[in-house]
Amino acid sequence: MRLTIFSRLIIGYFSIFVLVVSVNVYAIKYLIQLEDVTHSILQVDNRLIEYEKKMTDSLISQVRYERKYIITKDKALYEQFITARNDFSQSLNQTMSITDSYNKNQILKRIKDYHKNYETLINEEVEYISSQKTYLQNWYMEEKEKNVAAIMSELKNLRAYTQQETYDKIKNLGESGSKARRAAIIITLMSFVFIIIISFIMTRSITKPLSVMKKKTQEIAGGNFDSNITISSPPEIKELSQAFNLMCKKLKEVDKIKSDFFSLMSHELRTPLTSIKEGINLLMEGRASETTPKQNRLLNIIKEESNRLLDMINSLLDLSKMEAGMMSYNFTESDISTLIKKAVFETEPLAESKNIRIEVIVSKKLNPVKMDKERILQVLRNLMANALKFTPKDGYIWVFANPVDGGVQVSVADTGPGLSKEDMQTVFDKFKQATMTNSNRLKGTGLGLAIVKHIINAHGGKIWVESAPGKGSIFFFVLQA
């Protein structure tokens, strides 16, 4: 089951959304890690170093005051020792409350034990002094110094360990940042590529069938109703293509009905028109009875109109045969310059009546081309007639023939009113005629250029027109050798 356009868009946008969210989640995760490390450094390591300094200062103060007290027996000095001891204990307790590792805890416990031993020794010594008893003063001095030295050593270890941990955290944070940056760049690039691929697939799945339909529409505009659209597409466009195929089938049927109608009517009209023409000839020759000059003028008019109708019917029959692929061609290798001269010779009387000058410029290096001489002569006659029709009095017509890529290019140019872009797109369609700039239409059937196009296509050549309003027109066709 094929997905609808709406479903494809939803899936595509959801995939893009998931990618964007994934990148953001990864970035947020790294930011949280960065925040945790920064908080640990600021709230733990820096405070530990600050408390270590306070404990060191407090311990030095304790040692100073207890030594002075031992010598002077001044109670004020003992009270200052008590204050320094309390400061040390407070700092130690605060340090133990924020420590975040086992090794730091062990160091602080040892500091607490050494300090407790130091306090015990001080208290015993104070009791001896208060009771005025003799005691081993040197031994107490040595023990106190041992405990103080041990505390100082542990405080130094605490500082060194804290500084090393801070350095390790910063180093790990830098390494993590580098990895995160590389990972973020890779993920972003991959996401960008994936988004482009998804967007391309989504857009292509919609635009490709539309392009096929656009091309087919252009073919229909050119009169080709044969091929059906068979495309792999979303259900909506598939239904549209099916309706489009049905429309093409109906148009083809209508076009066939129209062609059959014109062919039938042409056959049916040609016989009575031929009889009318022969009757007119008999009347004009006076075989039935003598005619007056006025009757002769009327008969001439009827004869001209009959000839025009016969020409139109013959053109319709020819076009019907060409469209049905029943027109026969006799291809021989010939020189096209002879046909050009003949077509120009035939149109010169009409050109002279309008005071139109015809110039022929034919290259002497023309290659013989494989063609049906009668049909190519018909092409030249139609192009010349078209140029004469639209060229005003005292105008010019040029006929060029030049060798191109192993073939021959022939062009017929005029100084007529030119064609608009709209007319250039339909000028080779049957029953289509260009509109003059003054909005008046010249008489004609609109079949001449359509027949010309069919003949050139049957020869494997190509035909086109170049023009602009007010600058005349140039009709080109190319035949291959």
Side-chain angles (χ1 to χ4, degrees), residues 140-153:
Y140 275 97
M141 179 68 69
E142 290 177 0
E143 291 297 317
K144 287 188 293 184
E145 287 180 352
K146 287 179 182 179
N147 283 279
V148 169
I151 293 172
M152 293 297 291
S153 176

Side-chain angles (χ1 to χ4, degrees), residues 163-220:
Q163 288 176 340
Q164 183 62 41
E165 273 199 348
T166 302
Y167 173 78
D168 291 341
K169 288 177 182 178
I170 295 174
K171 182 180 178 181
N172 293 334
L173 185 62
E175 293 175 354
S176 300
S178 299
K179 292 178 180 178
R181 182 167 56 253
R182 288 194 297 271
I185 292 172
I186 293 172
I187 293 173
T188 302
L189 290 175
M190 291 177 65
S191 300
F192 183 69
V193 171
F194 189 63
I195 288 171
I196 291 176
I197 292 172
I198 291 176
S199 301
F200 176 78
I201 293 173
M202 287 169 52
T203 306
R204 186 63 176 168
S205 68
I206 297 172
T207 58
K208 185 179 180 180
L210 292 178
S211 299
V212 174
M213 295 186 68
K214 177 183 176 183
K215 183 178 179 182
K216 179 58 183 173
T217 303
Q218 292 171 344
E219 291 177 2
I220 290 174

Side-chain angles (χ1 to χ4, degrees), residues 99-323:
T99 185
D100 59 352
S101 71
Y102 175 78
N103 291 332
K104 291 177 185 176
N105 266 324
Q106 294 302 311
I107 291 173
L108 291 172
K109 285 181 180 180
R110 288 196 294 271
I111 290 173
K112 188 174 183 179
D113 292 339
Y114 289 134
H115 189 260
K116 188 175 181 179
N117 292 336
Y118 175 70
E119 279 187 276
T120 301
L121 291 170
I122 293 295
N123 291 333
E124 290 177 357
E125 197 171 6
V126 168
E127 287 182 4
Y128 282 123
I129 292 172
S130 298
S131 60
Q132 295 182 353
K133 292 180 180 180
T134 59
Y135 63 97
L136 300 173
Q137 188 173 1
N138 291 334
W139 182 84
Y140 275 97
M141 179 68 69
E142 290 177 0
E143 291 297 317
K144 287 188 293 184
E145 287 180 352
K146 287 179 182 179
N147 283 279
V148 169
I151 293 172
M152 293 297 291
S153 176
E154 294 295 339
L155 286 173
K156 288 180 181 179
N157 291 338
L158 178 64
R159 171 180 283 272
Y161 193 82
T162 302
Q163 288 176 340
Q164 183 62 41
E165 273 199 348
T166 302
Y167 173 78
D168 291 341
K169 288 177 182 178
I170 295 174
K171 182 180 178 181
N172 293 334
L173 185 62
E175 293 175 354
S176 300
S178 299
K179 292 178 180 178
R181 182 167 56 253
R182 288 194 297 271
I185 292 172
I186 293 172
I187 293 173
T188 302
L189 290 175
M190 291 177 65
S191 300
F192 183 69
V193 171
F194 189 63
I195 288 171
I196 291 176
I197 292 172
I198 291 176
S199 301
F200 176 78
I201 293 173
M202 287 169 52
T203 306
R204 186 63 176 168
S205 68
I206 297 172
T207 58
K208 185 179 180 180
L210 292 178
S211 299
V212 174
M213 295 186 68
K214 177 183 176 183
K215 183 178 179 182
K216 179 58 183 173
T217 303
Q218 292 171 344
E219 291 177 2
I220 290 174
N224 179 14
F225 310 114
D226 292 333
S227 57
N228 289 332
I229 297 177
T230 305
I231 49 177
S232 176
S233 59
E236 298 94 332
I237 298 180
K238 186 176 181 180
E239 291 175 7
L240 178 61
S241 66
Q242 291 172 349
F244 199 87
N245 289 335
L246 180 61
M247 180 190 70
C248 290
K249 183 179 178 182
K250 296 294 184 182
L251 286 173
K252 186 176 180 181
E253 291 175 359
V254 171
D255 189 63
K256 186 176 184 304
I257 291 171
K258 181 183 67 174
S259 298
D260 292 344
F261 172 76
F262 281 122
S263 179
L264 178 62
M265 290 300 295
S266 300
H267 278 290
E268 295 299 324
L269 287 173
R270 186 159 60 173
T271 301
L273 278 173
T274 303
S275 299
I276 292 171
K277 183 179 177 182
E278 291 300 324
I280 292 169
N281 288 333
L282 291 174
L283 288 172
M284 291 180 70
E285 291 172 1
R287 294 187 183 184
S289 62
E290 294 293 329
T291 56
T292 63
K294 186 176 181 179
Q295 290 172 335
N296 279 330
R297 284 198 303 274
L298 290 173
L299 289 172
N300 278 322
I301 293 171
I302 295 171
K303 181 180 179 181
E304 289 177 3
E305 293 301 319
S306 298
N307 288 333
R308 194 167 71 86
L309 284 172
L310 279 171
D311 289 340
M312 182 180 70
I313 290 169
N314 289 330
S315 295
L316 278 170
L317 287 172
D318 286 344
L319 188 58
S320 296
K321 289 180 181 179
M322 291 174 185
E323 289 179 340

Side-chain angles (χ1 to χ4, degrees), residues 217-448:
T217 303
Q218 292 171 344
E219 291 177 2
I220 290 174
N224 179 14
F225 310 114
D226 292 333
S227 57
N228 289 332
I229 297 177
T230 305
I231 49 177
S232 176
S233 59
E236 298 94 332
I237 298 180
K238 186 176 181 180
E239 291 175 7
L240 178 61
S241 66
Q242 291 172 349
F244 199 87
N245 289 335
L246 180 61
M247 180 190 70
C248 290
K249 183 179 178 182
K250 296 294 184 182
L251 286 173
K252 186 176 180 181
E253 291 175 359
V254 171
D255 189 63
K256 186 176 184 304
I257 291 171
K258 181 183 67 174
S259 298
D260 292 344
F261 172 76
F262 281 122
S263 179
L264 178 62
M265 290 300 295
S266 300
H267 278 290
E268 295 299 324
L269 287 173
R270 186 159 60 173
T271 301
L273 278 173
T274 303
S275 299
I276 292 171
K277 183 179 177 182
E278 291 300 324
I280 292 169
N281 288 333
L282 291 174
L283 288 172
M284 291 180 70
E285 291 172 1
R287 294 187 183 184
S289 62
E290 294 293 329
T291 56
T292 63
K294 186 176 181 179
Q295 290 172 335
N296 279 330
R297 284 198 303 274
L298 290 173
L299 289 172
N300 278 322
I301 293 171
I302 295 171
K303 181 180 179 181
E304 289 177 3
E305 293 301 319
S306 298
N307 288 333
R308 194 167 71 86
L309 284 172
L310 279 171
D311 289 340
M312 182 180 70
I313 290 169
N314 289 330
S315 295
L316 278 170
L317 287 172
D318 286 344
L319 188 58
S320 296
K321 289 180 181 179
M322 291 174 185
E323 289 179 340
M326 298 174 63
M327 179 64 71
S328 60
Y329 293 89
N330 181 25
F331 291 99
T332 57
E333 202 169 75
S334 307
D335 184 4
I336 199 171
S337 60
T338 305
L339 301 180
I340 293 173
K341 292 175 183 177
K342 185 175 181 179
V344 171
F345 178 77
E346 292 174 355
T347 55
E348 278 182 344
L350 182 57
E352 289 175 359
S353 68
K354 295 178 66 176
N355 198 26
I356 294 174
R357 184 177 175 182
I358 301 176
E359 291 188 13
V360 180
I361 305 173
V362 177
S363 173
K364 295 180 180 180
K365 298 180 180 180
L366 292 181
N367 299 314
V369 292
K370 199 171 184 179
M371 61 182 174
D372 185 317
K373 291 193 291 184
E374 288 300 321
R375 294 303 171 190
I376 295 301
L377 182 59
Q378 186 179 2
V379 168
L380 293 168
R381 285 171 179 163
N382 286 348
L383 291 178
M384 291 296 297
N386 187 72
L388 284 168
K389 184 192 301 183
F390 287 97
T391 302
K393 290 183 178 180
D394 302 321
Y396 287 86
I397 294 175
W398 294 272
V399 181
F400 301 92
N402 299 293
V404 288
D405 297 331
V408 173
Q409 176 179 287
V410 179
S411 57
V412 179
D414 62 59
T415 56
L419 298 170
S420 64
K421 288 184 178 179
E422 293 77 11
D423 286 334
M424 288 173 64
Q425 293 175 357
T426 61
V427 71
F428 292 106
D429 295 345
K430 56 186 176 183
F431 307 117
K432 294 286 186 179
Q433 285 185 292
T435 304
M436 298 287 286
T437 52
N438 60 6
S439 300
N440 293 326
R441 238 180 227 286
L442 297 178
K443 289 184 179 180
T445 61
L447 297 174

